[in-house]
Amino acid sequence: MEEREGEVRWDGLCSRDAASRAAALDNIGQAVLRRSETIAPVATVPLSRAADGPLVPAARDGLSEVLARLLMLSKRCPFPDVREKSEAILSRVQELGIRIPRPLGHGPSRFIPEKETIQVGNEDAMMHALFAESFATLGRLDNVTLVMVFHPQYLESFLKTQHYLLQMDGPLPLHYRHYIGIMAAARHQCSYLVNLHVNDFLHVGGDPKWLNGLENAPQKLQNLGELNKMLAHRPWLITKEHIEQLLKTEENSWSLAELIHAVVLLTHYHSLASFTFGCGISPEIDCEGGHTFRPPSVSNYCICDITNGYHGVDEIHTSPTGSIPVSICLIKSTESVCEVEALMEKMKQLQECRDEEEASQEEMATRFEREKRESMFVCSSEDEESAPTRDVSRHFEDTSYGYKDFSRHGMHVPTFRVQDYSWEDHGYSLVNRLYPDVGQLLDEKFHIAYNLTYNTMAMHKDVDTSMLRRAIWNYIHCMFGIRYDDYDYGEINQLLDRSFKVYIKTVVCTPEKTTKRMYDSFWRQFEHSEKVHVNLLLVEARMQAELLYALRAITRYMT
């Protein structure tokens, strides 16, 4: 598994050279079989007897973690030689009478049927290049990547930015970067991201004691806790005094460059937690909740099915004789088609109104304040359970601190006017000056997400979707109190219905409460790729909103 175990070394698998991968696979196979033979009941038991008799658990000597990693590689590695050899090693271990793991769940997302996602091994040349790059960089092809790849242009920019933040030269040491990622993801109880970065933190030499709780980390990181919680839940409260406290704390002080790096990491992982919950990302196969060593409860299929991870459930889900009558499905489908037509008609009418007359500045301001006020009352009445997460609260302080709307309890938060402080005119140059190249990478990512279009809406082609994309982006910023003087906020109510607003607000403000029902209830006739596209807008608009508040406070401290 990790290098520190001294026996199973995985690094060679990330090589683009087939001979290097083959050598690494031979070493892994030999090490795994040596371990397996020490606990196998009979070293040469035939497969049929292993299948009939009780299989030995693989928990000893870290073998279960190694087998889970091999299972992940057999399903998720972009290199066919690694997939095939990993599967062969697992089969050999099973022949020795040792129980091997099988995947839990179906595909990279709980919300998107596996058959509608890109299957590893079936990707086109551009996607394969992205997959290979991701695997070579991270040592894994994670479920976030497998869902984001619906939009390869965005994914390429996202991976390049994340790689730079985590692994390239920068003000913060590598283990600090992963620990800050853990702190940020934990604010939203996102165990998926916490698990990934716990492993990465240990891999780059991080102190395991820090993982017992934030109080065990250096005081410098503990001091970041206040900024972390405000950025995640109430960024409008950040002032230059908060920045000053971090920069002037004697021996535990942050430099400006370090603080910019930390702020970008915090906002990156807060917004990535939104994507993780918003798209229902499943646990990684080799992480907790992604696999099991228990045999399937269904008894009427052979051992080869178990080996290949077929659970006998997909067939049930896709059975044509389901419990929902066809007539109801047709009615719902017709309603959804009407939804799309109605939305397109509204877009057309709004465009015509824009061409005919323009509202006054006073009226525009009034409409913004009304939309900001109304966004307070957009909340879900869901009683459905959201995805179960293991407790990650030890990675942050003040667990009761969460999202609060602006004007609750009479508290007034001034409107943040983009004309006074914007990413393009202020934030971009500040980030680039203190953390070179990152401003450029973020700017490219924001623009790709905002401008991304295939000129389609559900089944319709050659559609200009810019009005809809702008309404989504500006609604998110409106929830954060951010106002564009040149935008008519009356358009938002015309284009975004209540179920869509509930989904947006939940994913952006309290992502851990997102449910499959919320995901299914908006844009019912749209493709899953279009709903993932919405999530890219949510991710980037949220990240930019948090950055604007933090960078404005840093600018005020500096001037």
Side-chain angles (χ1 to χ4, degrees), residues 62-79:
L63 183 58
S64 58
E65 289 85 358
V66 171
L67 296 181
R69 182 82 170 260
L70 283 168
L71 177 67
M72 178 273 290
L73 291 169
S74 74
K75 306 289 182 188
R76 294 282 194 265
C77 182
F79 304 121

Side-chain angles (χ1 to χ4, degrees), residues 255-272:
S255 71
L256 265 172
E258 286 175 332
L259 186 59
I260 289 286
H261 195 171
V263 163
V264 174
L265 282 167
L266 289 171
T267 58
H268 176 80
Y269 282 103
H270 293 156
S271 57
L272 192 54

Side-chain angles (χ1 to χ4, degrees), residues 40-295:
V42 182
T44 56
V45 63
L47 176 60
S48 58
R49 280 181 53 202
D52 295 338
L55 297 176
V56 175
R60 275 177 44 192
D61 199 21
L63 183 58
S64 58
E65 289 85 358
V66 171
L67 296 181
R69 182 82 170 260
L70 283 168
L71 177 67
M72 178 273 290
L73 291 169
S74 74
K75 306 289 182 188
R76 294 282 194 265
C77 182
F79 304 121
D81 54 338
V82 176
R83 291 200 301 274
E84 291 160 13
K85 181 70 173 179
S86 299
E87 194 168 328
I89 296 169
L90 286 171
S91 295
R92 179 71 184 120
V93 169
Q94 191 177 44
E95 287 171 12
L96 292 172
I98 294 169
R99 191 173 292 148
I100 64 169
R102 60 187 176 88
L104 285 173
H106 301 273
S109 165
R110 295 181 300 111
F111 296 171
I112 305 171
E114 185 173 13
K115 63 182 181 296
E116 296 187 39
T117 60
I118 304 297
Q119 304 296 305
V120 178
N122 295 336
E123 68 273 13
D124 63 26
M126 182 186 181
M127 289 179 183
H128 180 75
L130 287 171
F131 285 174
E133 182 65 35
S134 178
F135 190 83
T137 303
L138 301 170
R140 61 178 178 262
L141 184 57
D142 61 35
N143 289 337
V144 164
T145 299
L146 289 171
V147 173
M148 272 189 190
V149 80
F150 275 120
H151 306 285
Q153 185 191 4
Y154 174 84
L155 176 61
E156 184 177 18
S157 177
F158 173 86
L159 290 175
K160 191 164 54 172
T161 304
Q162 184 168 262
H163 175 62
Y164 198 98
L165 293 175
L166 291 176
Q167 293 173 290
M168 299 295 281
D169 288 344
L172 293 174
L174 296 183
H175 62 302
Y176 265 53
R177 303 180 196 192
H178 290 294
Y179 198 80
I180 290 168
I182 292 168
M183 288 172 63
R187 279 287 359 155
H188 287 305
Q189 296 132 58
C190 187
S191 57
Y192 172 85
L193 291 174
V194 169
N195 280 336
L196 289 184
H197 286 281
V198 162
N199 291 335
D200 292 340
F201 172 77
L202 294 172
H203 183 75
V204 297
D207 185 345
K209 293 194 192 74
W210 297 10
L211 300 174
N212 294 330
L214 188 56
E215 68 278 4
N216 297 289
Q219 188 61 47
K220 182 172 178 172
L221 282 168
Q222 291 184 44
N223 292 347
L224 196 64
E226 185 76 9
L227 185 65
N228 180 28
K229 75 177 186 181
M230 284 193 295
L231 269 175
H233 306 296
R234 309 176 202 174
W236 49 85
L237 296 181
I238 297 170
T239 64
K240 68 177 184 179
E241 284 72 31
H242 294 115
I243 304 304
E244 187 173 15
Q245 283 174 359
L246 289 166
L247 297 173
K248 295 274 183 79
T249 323
E250 296 173 3
E251 73 273 15
N252 297 311
S253 65
W254 292 75
S255 71
L256 265 172
E258 286 175 332
L259 186 59
I260 289 286
H261 195 171
V263 163
V264 174
L265 282 167
L266 289 171
T267 58
H268 176 80
Y269 282 103
H270 293 156
S271 57
L272 192 54
S274 283
F275 183 88
T276 300
F277 286 114
C279 291
I281 300 296
S282 302
E284 294 300 323
I285 289 175
D286 56 332
C287 287
E288 182 184 346
H291 65 274
T292 181
F293 283 85
R294 289 193 305 276

Side-chain angles (χ1 to χ4, degrees), residues 434-556:
L434 294 169
Y435 189 7
D437 298 328
V438 170
Q440 181 67 42
L441 288 167
L442 292 175
D443 193 57
E444 177 187 289
K445 190 159 63 81
F446 291 147
H447 276 94
I448 288 172
Y450 187 88
N451 294 313
L452 187 66
T453 183
Y454 306 96
N455 298 112
T456 60
M457 274 181 64
M459 70 294 295
H460 297 276
K461 300 191 182 332
D462 301 318
V463 182
D464 180 359
T465 61
S466 55
M467 181 184 289
L468 187 55
R469 285 181 277 120
R470 190 179 186 193
I472 294 168
W473 184 281
N474 287 1
Y475 180 60
I476 295 158
H477 279 193
C478 176
M479 292 191 300
F480 285 94
I482 297 169
R483 182 189 165 209
Y484 296 83
D485 284 355
D486 62 346
Y487 183 68
D488 181 356
Y489 286 84
E491 291 187 5
I492 288 174
N493 267 342
Q494 296 290 315
L495 298 173
L496 313 183
D497 64 22
R498 188 182 180 283
S499 64
F500 194 12
K501 284 184 171 181
V502 166
Y503 178 78
I504 291 173
K505 185 173 180 182
T506 305
V507 171
V508 171
C509 300
T510 52
E512 61 278 11
K513 295 181 179 175
T514 309
T515 65
K516 186 174 187 300
R517 188 178 294 138
M518 289 181 196
Y519 176 90
D520 291 338
S521 68
F522 84 92
W523 282 13
R524 287 170 295 175
Q525 197 63 23
F526 285 69
E527 301 287 339
H528 288 291
S529 62
E530 292 172 303
K531 293 193 173 193
V532 173
H533 187 178
V534 166
N535 274 275
L536 301 184
L537 286 168
L538 307 193
V539 163
E540 298 304 333
R542 175 184 179 174
M543 183 175 184
Q544 192 179 97
E546 287 188 25
L547 277 174
L548 282 173
Y549 279 108
L551 296 175
R552 184 180 68 170
I554 291 170
T555 300
R556 286 175 173 174

Side-chain angles (χ1 to χ4, degrees), residues 294-428:
R294 289 193 305 276
S297 55
V298 181
S299 57
N300 61 347
Y301 54 99
C302 70
I303 193 71
C304 58
D305 287 331
I306 302 173
T307 310
N308 291 320
Y310 300 138
H311 316 165
V313 181
D314 280 333
E315 293 79 2
I316 297 167
H317 284 194
T318 58
S319 167
T321 56
S323 58
I324 301 174
V326 174
S327 58
I328 292 178
C329 292
L330 287 172
I331 291 167
K332 289 199 165 189
S333 178
T334 306
E335 285 175 358
S336 301
V337 172
C338 292
E339 262 180 1
V340 179
E341 306 290 356
L343 181 54
M344 290 181 66
E345 184 58 32
K346 282 178 184 171
M347 289 164 63
K348 183 182 171 189
Q349 289 171 1
L350 285 169
Q351 187 59 54
E352 288 168 356
C353 290
R354 269 186 192 174
D355 296 340
E356 287 169 15
E357 58 176 315
E358 208 171 286
S360 66
Q361 280 299 311
E362 293 77 14
E363 178 59 25
M364 300 267 264
T366 302
R367 288 175 187 177
F368 169 79
E369 292 300 332
R370 185 187 306 130
E371 190 60 53
K372 185 173 76 169
R373 192 169 58 250
E374 285 179 5
S375 75
M376 285 170 40
F377 304 106
V378 173
C379 60
S380 166
S381 56
E382 289 283 334
D383 53 7
E384 182 186 338
E385 286 295 309
S386 48
T389 59
R390 68 186 179 89
D391 180 39
V392 293
S393 59
R394 65 181 179 281
H395 297 298
F396 62 90
E397 297 169 316
D398 196 358
T399 54
S400 63
Y401 191 99
Y403 171 81
K404 289 283 189 298
D405 295 301
F406 303 102
S407 305
R408 292 272 166 91
H409 316 300
M411 180 178 69
H412 176 68
V413 176
T415 292
F416 185 123
R417 295 176 72 250
V418 167
Q419 276 65 20
D420 297 334
Y421 194 94
S422 69
W423 165 255
E424 290 79 7
D425 296 335
H426 307 90
Y428 168 81

